[in-house]
Amino acid sequence: MSIAAYVGYYHIMLYFKRRKDRFNLSFAMVCLSLAAYDLFSAGLYSVSSPIEGAPWQRGQITSLAMIIGSTIVFVFDTVQRRMTLPIRLILFVIGALIPVNLFTSWGVIDGQPDIKHITWLGITYNESALGPGVTILFIIAIPGMLYTATLVALACRTNRALRPILILLVIFFTATINDISVSSGIYPSIYLVEYGFFLFTMAMAHSLLSKFVKALKAEEELTLRLEERVSERTRQLEEAHQVLVEEAHRAGMASIATGVLHNMGNALNSVRTCVVSLITSAADPALNRLKRANDMLRDKMVLFEEVFAQDQQSRQLFEFYLALEESFGQENTKLNRNAERLSKMTDSMCQLVEAQQSYADLGSFTEQVELSRVIDDALMMKQATLDKHRIAVRREFQSAPRIEAQKSKLLHICVNLVTNGIEAIAAANVEKPLLVITIAEREGGIAVIVEDNGEGIEAAHLATIFSSGYTTRKGADGFGLHSSANYMTEMGGSISASSDGPGMGARFELSFPNPTDTLAPTELKTETSL
């Protein structure tokens, strides 16, 4: 009795800590009902007459009804099934019969002794005859218990952990039916439900232990997953921190570059002013006046013949003075030519600085970018190097789309690819150096292809050419193609490289998603420049 009461109290505490596990409450009711059953059975054993035993017998029958009802509820809570209407009706009838059997003669009929002698054990039950309420209770309880056992048997097909409970539940129900039969006087025997409950409690302990072991395993798995997620998030945070540091570093460099470009622009504006002044000075009409004056002196040469006859040095001085006209003319022509060349170079440098400034101020904003214009800017920035190596550039723009991209990063990629092409051509020392840049539509997007006829790439290097720090050239840092690949990934595109081998040139292809806008066909162009 004390064990049943303690187990019931323990499961009530479990229920209040974890209310979603309703089976703790229903099992606690089973235990407490059994403790009451043991108490009333002990009282019934100790009386000497049926009149003294009647109150204890009523309590015994009431607690037996509570055991049956709470056990049925416990089974449904354990297998997590909703109660059917017949089971609800059975529980309702059992609950209604409890006060009837406890307080009226429908339970125990006073004055009608039904003494039971268990001669082979020397036990005597001083009981009274049972009323119709108890008979109805027993008739209702037996099919309910059989249905509940069947339900657990079906649940065992998918949950093997319920098999011990099924076996011992059958034993418990058998002991309960035995007690019903003994109380009804069907055959003489002792009451067995408390012994069946002991086995049933062992089965519950096994089930709870299995759940506890599963909970421990689940906790270990969750802890392991949590550690993995923490490690993954830590790695992501470290990568994000590294990216932020790099972005901050680039932002700082961009700010410095912007300041340098601003100062260069101011200096170039001063140079441009000086060049304009120089061209203006070279075009001064003073040289023309000198020519007219010399023409007049030549016409008057006869007037100075007497002087020249007396002083030969005067003739030589006069001829030297007239010869200065031709020398001044040649120098003036050379000065004009150099001034014009300096003006063009200054204009080109100003345009280059303006282009660099337009990209330096963009930051990391995504916008609609015209591919052909970015490529032209990249070529303009490398024009001096292209001219130095006499590399011809052929533009084959099959379309001139606008794409969503970060303009500064796209320019960085294009300059890198043009620079790689120039270096590959210079290293190969080809007879007719050529760089071909193509813009073409592809299925699902746009492609920019940069081809050169330079030294080519070995097949073994193609797989690692975009790795950080990878380079085959002395003095290079190997960051250009790696950063280009990262930028393309950030913008939702991709970059690939191919080559037929050493000496066969190389081909780099940029792939972008579908453009948002395309220019008119009249703006498409194919041209070759030196």
Side-chain angles (χ1 to χ4, degrees):
M1 179 177 66
S2 58
I3 294 176
Y6 174 77
V7 173
Y9 170 77
Y10 174 75
H11 278 272
I12 286 179
M13 294 298 101
L14 286 180
Y15 170 74
F16 284 119
K17 289 183 178 179
R18 193 176 178 85
R19 292 180 179 271
K20 68 177 184 178
D21 294 338
R22 293 185 55 189
F23 65 86
N24 284 321
L25 179 61
S26 53
F27 185 67
M29 294 305 298
V30 173
C31 297
L32 295 176
S33 300
L34 185 68
Y37 181 84
D38 287 342
L39 176 63
F40 293 124
S41 296
L44 184 60
Y45 295 158
S46 64
V47 299
S48 58
S49 67
I51 296 176
E52 294 177 3
W56 298 103
Q57 190 176 1
R58 286 191 178 94
Q60 186 187 46
I61 293 171
T62 300
S63 57
L64 183 62
M66 294 176 63
I67 290 173
I68 295 170
S70 55
T71 303
I72 293 174
V73 174
F74 165 73
V75 169
F76 275 90
D77 289 341
T78 302
V79 299
Q80 297 180 348
R81 291 278 298 274
R82 295 189 63 180
M83 293 185 188
T84 59
L85 182 59
I87 291 296
R88 291 178 183 273
L89 291 175
I90 289 174
L91 292 176
F92 175 78
V93 172
I94 292 175
L97 288 173
I98 287 176
V100 172
N101 291 334
L102 184 60
F103 299 110
T104 70
S105 59
W106 272 52
V108 175
I109 304 175
D110 294 328
Q112 294 186 15
D114 185 17
I115 302 174
K116 300 178 177 65
H117 298 283
I118 313 300
T119 56
W120 56 281
L121 289 176
I123 297 175
T124 299
Y125 296 127
N126 290 298
E127 298 179 352
S128 299
L130 300 178
V134 178
T135 304
I136 296 173
L137 172 65
F138 293 163
I139 293 174
I140 291 294
I142 292 175
M145 290 188 292
L146 292 176
Y147 177 84
T148 305
T150 304
L151 181 65
V152 176
L154 294 176
C156 287
R157 295 180 179 179
T158 56
N159 188 356
R160 294 185 177 181
L162 294 176
R163 290 183 179 180
I165 295 180
L166 173 64
I167 296 172
L168 296 172
L169 185 64
V170 171
I171 296 174
F172 181 63
F173 281 165
T174 303
T176 304
I177 294 173
N178 171 80
D179 287 15
I180 293 173
S181 302
V182 171
S183 297
S184 302
I186 297 175
Y187 59 82
S189 178
I190 61 173
Y191 294 114
L192 299 175
V193 70
E194 54 188 328
Y195 305 107
F197 170 78
F198 176 76
L199 297 176
F200 187 56
T201 305
M202 295 299 100
M204 272 300 302
H206 177 270
S207 176
L208 291 174
L209 181 61
S210 299
K211 290 182 179 180
F212 181 71
V213 171
K214 289 181 180 179
L216 286 179
K217 290 182 179 179
E219 182 183 6
E220 292 177 358
E221 292 178 359
L222 288 175
T223 302
L224 181 61
R225 291 179 184 176
L226 180 60
E227 291 176 352
E228 291 176 351
R229 291 187 66 180
V230 169
S231 300
E232 178 66 18
R233 290 297 173 87
T234 302
R235 184 186 63 79
Q236 292 175 357
L237 288 174
E238 290 176 352
E239 291 178 355
H241 174 72
Q242 184 64 30
V243 170
L244 288 174
V245 171
E246 292 178 0
E247 290 293 336
H249 181 61
R250 290 172 188 155
M253 290 191 297
S255 178
I256 295 173
T258 302
V260 172
L261 289 172
H262 177 73
N263 294 332
M264 288 180 62
N266 291 337
L268 286 173
N269 285 333
S270 300
V271 173
R272 180 183 285 178
T273 302
C274 293
V275 170
V276 172
S277 177
L278 181 62
I279 292 174
T280 303
S281 299
D284 190 1
L287 183 61
N288 294 330
R289 290 196 298 270
L290 176 63
K291 288 181 179 180
R292 288 196 298 271
N294 284 349
D295 290 340
M296 292 174 62
L297 286 174
R298 289 187 185 93
D299 292 339
K300 303 297 183 179
M301 281 285 291
V302 292
L303 299 177
F304 298 98
E305 286 297 333
E306 294 181 1
V307 177
F308 292 158
Q310 297 176 4
D311 187 0
Q312 190 64 26
Q313 288 183 350
S314 297
R315 176 185 291 276
Q316 292 175 353
L317 179 62
F318 195 83
E319 290 176 351
F320 175 75
Y321 175 76
L322 293 177
L324 287 176
E325 174 191 342
E326 182 179 359
S327 178
F328 284 167
Q330 291 175 353
E331 292 294 330
N332 185 265
T333 300
K334 185 177 180 181
L335 181 62
N336 276 326
R337 185 169 59 250
N338 288 335
E340 291 293 338
R341 184 180 178 188
L342 180 60
S343 177
K344 291 180 180 179
M345 292 175 65
T346 305
D347 289 342
S348 297
M349 292 174 68
C350 287
Q351 292 175 4
L352 181 59
V353 170
E354 290 172 0
Q356 289 280 14
Q357 285 178 325
S358 68
Y359 286 99
D361 294 335
L362 288 175
S364 300
F365 296 104
T366 299
E367 60 179 312
Q368 284 195 5
V369 178
E370 186 179 335
L371 271 174
S372 58
R373 183 166 297 178
V374 176
I375 292 172
D376 288 340
D377 288 343
L379 291 172
M380 181 183 67
M381 293 177 184
K382 304 300 296 185
Q383 189 60 53
T385 310
L386 290 167
D387 293 341
K388 176 183 177 181
H389 295 286
R390 299 182 179 277
I391 299 174
V393 178
R394 187 166 76 234
R395 299 172 175 84
E396 296 181 353
F397 296 171
Q398 300 175 15
S399 61
R402 296 181 189 274
I403 62 170
E404 292 287 338
Q406 297 178 26
K407 196 174 181 180
S408 58
K409 292 182 178 180
L410 182 57
L411 177 68
H412 171 89
I413 296 169
C414 293
V415 169
N416 264 312
L417 295 185
V418 171
T419 301
N420 280 353
I422 293 173
E423 292 176 351
I425 292 172
N429 195 22
V430 296
E431 183 178 352
K432 294 181 179 181
L434 177 63
L435 190 67
V436 182
I437 302 179
T438 305
I439 299 178
E441 294 186 5
R442 293 282 191 268
E443 183 178 355
I446 296 296
V448 176
I449 304 166
V450 180
E451 298 178 88
D452 64 73
N453 59 348
E455 60 182 345
I457 306 172
E458 295 183 9
H461 295 165
L462 289 174
T464 54
I465 196 170
F466 297 108
S467 301
S468 177
Y470 181 83
T471 181
T472 57
R473 295 190 177 94
K474 293 182 178 180
D477 56 14
F479 185 71
L481 289 177
H482 175 67
S483 61
S484 298
N486 289 339
Y487 288 161
M488 286 299 297
T489 302
E490 290 178 16
M491 294 186 290
S494 61
I495 183 173
S496 61
S498 60
S499 175
D500 292 334
M504 302 301 293
R507 170 192 175 103
F508 289 85
E509 182 170 336
L510 307 176
S511 298
F512 297 92
N514 281 319
T516 57
D517 187 23
T518 302
L519 300 182
T522 54
E523 298 188 28
L524 307 185
K525 57 183 179 179
T526 299
E527 60 179 58
T528 303
S529 61
L530 290 174

